[in-house]
Amino acid sequence: MLQMKLCGDLVLREKCAPVDTITPEILQNMDEMVKMMSEQNGVGLAAPQVGVLQRFLVMMNPDTNEIFKMINPVIVSRSAETVVMEEGCLSVLGPDGLPVYANVTRPAVVTVEWTDTAGQRCAAEMSGLPARIVQHETDHLDGILFIDYLSPVKREMVMRKVRRRK
């Protein structure tokens, strides 16, 4: 059974290895991650957040409830236009056990390529919340957390809340 890793766990800072073969274990992990994401009212979850150092993630488009299961996702283009949106993370929790939020600037539109669970190559241009989510989750695969985009002052404010949880 997979377990959520929280801010401070070094696994969240590791760079994940590409998936060479889609195994039954990976498919089972992705199914369990979708369930965990849904139970915690999340919209995305990357493998390192559950202690698996491989390049896969699950995410939901909140506008359509469509679930994406992405293996080896790569953002191949980013718009010059950026947008500021509030972000939180199921691995960055405050003293109330809920995600801590902060405004993050990211590209407004991205094109992402990935392999689906059947081994087919896929690509999509995403904007709005799906673009935000896929950028946040692919960052996790490289050991990057949304707090890394914050100014030192804002990051310290978030981390104070995280430390109060412990």
Side-chain angles (χ1 to χ4, degrees), residues 116-163:
D116 70 12
T117 56
Q120 300 299 307
R121 291 295 298 156
C122 302
E125 183 178 275
M126 296 183 176
S127 60
L129 282 172
R132 172 73 39 166
I133 296 163
V134 78
Q135 290 175 81
H136 177 110
E137 299 307 332
T138 55
D139 274 353
H140 274 299
L141 303 179
D142 291 318
I144 299 167
L145 299 177
F146 83 95
I147 58 175
D148 298 338
Y149 293 100
L150 304 178
S151 70
V153 170
K154 293 261 197 244
R155 185 173 31 244
E156 181 53 33
M157 288 170 59
V158 168
M159 290 311 297
R160 265 193 216 130
K161 292 177 183 174
V162 169
R163 284 191 292 269

Side-chain angles (χ1 to χ4, degrees), residues 9-138:
D9 192 315
L10 295 180
V11 74
L12 294 173
R13 293 307 193 165
E14 294 286 328
K15 192 170 172 93
C16 295
V19 172
D20 296 324
T21 306
I22 301 171
T23 63
E25 181 184 20
I26 287 173
L27 297 177
Q28 181 180 341
N29 284 345
M30 292 179 100
D31 287 343
E32 192 172 337
M33 288 166 62
V34 168
K35 187 176 174 205
M36 290 173 77
M37 175 181 73
S38 153
E39 287 171 351
Q40 297 183 34
N41 297 314
V43 290
L45 198 55
Q49 290 181 273
V50 294
V52 179
L53 288 173
Q54 290 186 286
R55 297 188 79 79
F56 62 88
L57 63 88
V58 300
M59 64 173 273
M60 179 183 71
N61 178 340
D63 301 325
T64 63
N65 291 332
E66 180 182 5
I67 299 288
F68 292 89
K69 295 178 179 179
M70 299 181 173
I71 299 167
N72 296 325
V74 177
I75 294 175
V76 294
S77 71
R78 294 171 166 81
S79 66
E81 178 193 354
T82 60
V83 64
V84 177
M85 290 176 82
E86 198 174 59
E87 283 187 39
C89 180
L90 295 175
S91 292
V92 183
L93 304 180
D96 55 4
L98 297 173
V100 177
Y101 292 90
N103 285 329
V104 177
T105 303
R106 291 189 188 266
V109 180
V110 296
T111 301
V112 61
E113 295 178 351
W114 72 96
T115 302
D116 70 12
T117 56
Q120 300 299 307
R121 291 295 298 156
C122 302
E125 183 178 275
M126 296 183 176
S127 60
L129 282 172
R132 172 73 39 166
I133 296 163
V134 78
Q135 290 175 81
H136 177 110
E137 299 307 332
T138 55

